[in-house]
Amino acid sequence: MHLKKQYIVCFFIFFLIVIGIYLRFLAIQHSLVDTPIRADARDYYSYAMNMHEWGVYSKEYQAVKSPEPDALRSPGFPWFAYLFYASNQAVFVKNILIAQTIFQIISFTFLSLILYRFYGAIVALISCWFLWTFPHFVNINIYFLSESLFTSLLAGLIGMGSLSHFSEHRKMLYSVCFALLLGLAILVRPILQYFPLFLFVILFIYHRKVTCPAIVFLMIALLPMLLWGGRNLLTIGQWSDPTLMINGLYHGSFPWFMYHDLPESFGFPYHFDPQANEVYQGVGRTLEIIYERFVADPANYTRWYLAGKQFYLWQWSIIAGQGDIFIYPTLTSPYYDEQTSLLTYAVNKFIHLFWLVVAFLGLGIMIKKIIKRENVHLGLIIISAIFLYAILIHIIVAPFPRYGIPFKIPAMIIFAITMSEIIKWIKRKFV
């Protein structure tokens, strides 16, 4: 009977993976993005093109001579794109979309197997539903942006973190792989750059001491970022370009994403701000402007920073883009008319708010267990730490919903674990 149950669970997991691959195939083949190389995508495209044509890491678009090197964007996604470069722009974009989709399929399959092996059938089935059918995960692959690669790396490092705890052999190897994946994820999206230290502190709180594995993890995870910083010192004379940090602080400082509550400024409040250019005088000036505005309207800013930002970060619809599950304007998509895509879309949208609320409650329980040093294994500590870190870091920076998409992976797993515990409690109580 137990073996039969295993077969049934494996069948459903396999079925969800097949559905997920099918949805991604539809998205890649039948989505048409209007001008895919625009805004952030144009920077990434330029970096890859300039590395191929000139051997220089520069965002200068369509350079006719060797451009000046810079460090505005982290190198993770441009390096990934460079591997699939083609002189024809349409072919190049298609190569990237296919490559990042395949990488997502591999990392999600790995995480699905890890969840089933170490967390049980209920957690695996619930998590696999989200991993393979959540439309934001499917649709993120159709854009020439770093979010798809970052989402895949996040899935991989969560799986590797769990494997490093549960595996009876090669624990150190898996721990090193986890740290390296984290280091690479930082190079793709620098929002994670403080996470190694954050996790180190959480492990210290849990163990009440600094452990040798934690020190090794911290050193390895920070190594790629240190190498990148060293490159910047040698080529541009400074550790990093502060522009993105300034943008993150500044764009996240407008309550409810509006300038002085003007509806027409929603999503792009900085276009209406007469002080917009002042912030680029430096991080210090940016913080001064934010502080002055906070003092002028403390109640509104307090609500925004402590609650409003989370509302936007985790919401369904993307802002500062087309909206719903689309970033750049998308002319055709399976999510407009294909039945399987529309069905999974509708189910996910219907339960979205419910599972997020439960995930936040589950995170609170996990934090309580970690503080009290109850029996919480490393995999759960890592998953909880990533979720909590995403909440805390976006209190400081801009909480655009697009940035929250990758972090919904740990949130979904926390939800699945919480639901599993609830189901077990009901069985013990009433069965």
Side-chain angles (χ1 to χ4, degrees):
M1 188 66 173
H2 179 68
L3 191 61
K4 183 178 179 181
K5 181 182 176 182
Q6 282 187 327
Y7 284 140
I8 293 173
V9 172
C10 288
F11 169 78
F12 278 108
I13 291 175
F14 177 74
F15 176 74
L16 288 171
I17 291 174
V18 171
I19 290 294
I21 293 173
Y22 174 68
L23 292 172
R24 284 158 177 80
F25 170 78
L26 289 176
I28 291 297
Q29 289 298 111
H30 301 291
S31 296
L32 179 62
V33 178
D34 182 21
T35 318
I37 302 302
R38 60 165 74 202
D40 294 353
R42 190 171 76 167
D43 284 351
Y44 294 129
Y45 173 83
S46 298
Y47 280 120
M49 183 179 70
N50 288 329
M51 281 192 291
H52 185 272
E53 297 295 328
W54 306 102
V56 177
Y57 190 79
S58 172
K59 71 177 187 304
E60 185 176 330
Y61 186 58
Q62 294 181 337
V64 294
K65 64 179 182 178
S66 183
E68 288 295 318
D70 64 65
L72 178 67
R73 301 281 179 186
S74 292
F77 184 71
W79 285 346
F80 176 78
Y82 171 77
L83 297 175
F84 305 96
Y85 179 80
S87 56
N88 181 286
Q89 186 182 101
V91 174
F92 183 28
V93 171
K94 194 70 173 180
N95 289 347
I96 295 302
L97 303 190
I98 293 172
Q100 64 189 17
T101 300
I102 291 173
F103 187 46
Q104 187 184 94
I105 290 170
I106 293 171
S107 65
F108 278 20
T109 301
F110 170 66
L111 181 56
S112 299
L113 296 175
I114 292 294
L115 291 172
Y116 177 56
R117 175 67 180 83
F118 299 123
Y119 294 86
I122 296 174
V123 172
L125 288 171
I126 294 175
S127 299
C128 283
W129 163 263
F130 289 118
L131 286 172
W132 294 103
T133 70
F134 194 62
H136 296 74
F137 292 161
V138 175
N139 222 42
I140 201 68
N141 296 309
I142 71 171
Y143 301 106
F144 196 95
L145 294 168
S146 62
E147 276 79 8
S148 174
L149 181 60
F150 183 66
T151 300
S152 299
L153 286 170
L154 206 60
L157 70 90
I158 288 173
M160 194 62 69
S162 297
L163 188 60
S164 67
H165 172 80
F166 287 109
S167 179
E168 296 180 2
H169 307 288
R170 300 178 179 176
K171 283 182 176 290
M172 182 55 70
L173 173 63
Y174 296 135
S175 297
V176 170
C177 289
F178 166 74
L180 285 174
L181 280 173
L182 178 54
L184 293 175
I186 292 170
L187 290 185
V188 174
R189 296 288 296 172
I191 190 70
L192 268 188
Q193 62 185 308
Y194 307 109
F195 180 72
L197 185 59
F198 181 76
L199 181 57
F200 182 83
V201 171
I202 288 180
L203 292 174
F204 173 77
I205 293 172
Y206 182 71
H207 294 293
R208 302 292 195 271
K209 63 179 180 179
V210 176
T211 63
C212 220
I215 294 174
V216 173
F217 148 77
L218 185 63
M219 293 173 61
I220 295 174
L222 292 176
L223 182 60
M225 185 174 65
L226 294 175
L227 293 174
W228 171 242
R231 172 267 178 194
N232 296 338
L233 282 175
L234 291 173
T235 56
I236 65 172
Q238 56 184 8
W239 184 260
S240 64
D241 187 326
T243 303
L244 291 184
M245 178 181 289
I246 290 171
N247 285 341
L249 295 170
Y250 174 60
H251 293 171
S253 69
F254 295 94
W256 322 108
F257 282 118
M258 290 185 288
Y259 178 72
H260 289 177
D261 296 325
L262 293 173
E264 61 268 29
S265 71
F266 180 72
F268 303 93
Y270 40 88
H271 289 166
F272 295 77
D273 186 4
Q275 290 184 288
N277 290 329
E278 290 184 35
V279 299
Y280 297 106
Q281 295 174 13
V283 175
R285 180 55 184 149
T286 305
L287 294 175
E288 283 179 13
I289 292 173
I290 295 172
Y291 177 74
E292 290 166 2
R293 295 176 178 182
F294 186 93
V295 171
D297 191 4
N300 194 28
Y301 274 80
T302 299
R303 287 194 298 269
W304 169 241
Y305 275 88
L306 296 184
K309 284 196 172 190
Q310 301 308 316
F311 172 80
Y312 280 102
L313 179 66
W314 304 104
Q315 76 172 23
W316 176 272
S317 184
I318 290 168
I319 61 175
Q322 177 175 322
D324 198 30
I325 64 172
F326 301 96
I327 300 175
Y328 296 153
T330 306
L331 304 177
T332 62
S333 169
Y335 287 101
Y336 294 155
D337 51 19
E338 199 277 322
Q339 292 304 309
T340 305
S341 301
L342 288 173
L343 175 61
T344 53
Y345 170 95
V347 174
N348 276 289
K349 189 172 184 178
F350 179 74
I351 64 176
H352 186 252
L353 179 61
F354 166 73
W355 75 255
L356 271 177
V357 171
V358 175
F360 271 81
L361 293 174
L363 177 63
I365 296 170
M366 293 294 177
I367 293 172
K368 181 180 177 182
K369 287 184 177 182
I370 291 171
I371 292 174
K372 289 189 172 183
R373 297 186 70 189
E374 295 181 24
N375 187 25
V376 181
H377 60 72
L378 179 63
L380 276 182
I381 292 176
I382 291 171
I383 294 167
S384 302
I386 295 174
F387 188 14
L388 179 60
Y389 177 84
I391 292 169
L392 296 178
I393 198 68
H394 286 94
I395 291 175
I396 303 169
V397 299
F400 290 108
R402 164 185 158 190
Y403 300 156
I405 293 172
F407 293 109
K408 287 184 177 178
I409 292 179
M412 290 169 176
I413 297 173
I414 293 291
F415 165 72
I417 291 170
T418 305
M419 291 303 298
S420 176
E421 292 300 314
I422 291 173
I423 292 171
K424 289 176 183 177
W425 179 83
I426 291 173
K427 285 183 177 179
R428 289 194 303 267
K429 195 78 173 175
F430 301 105
V431 178

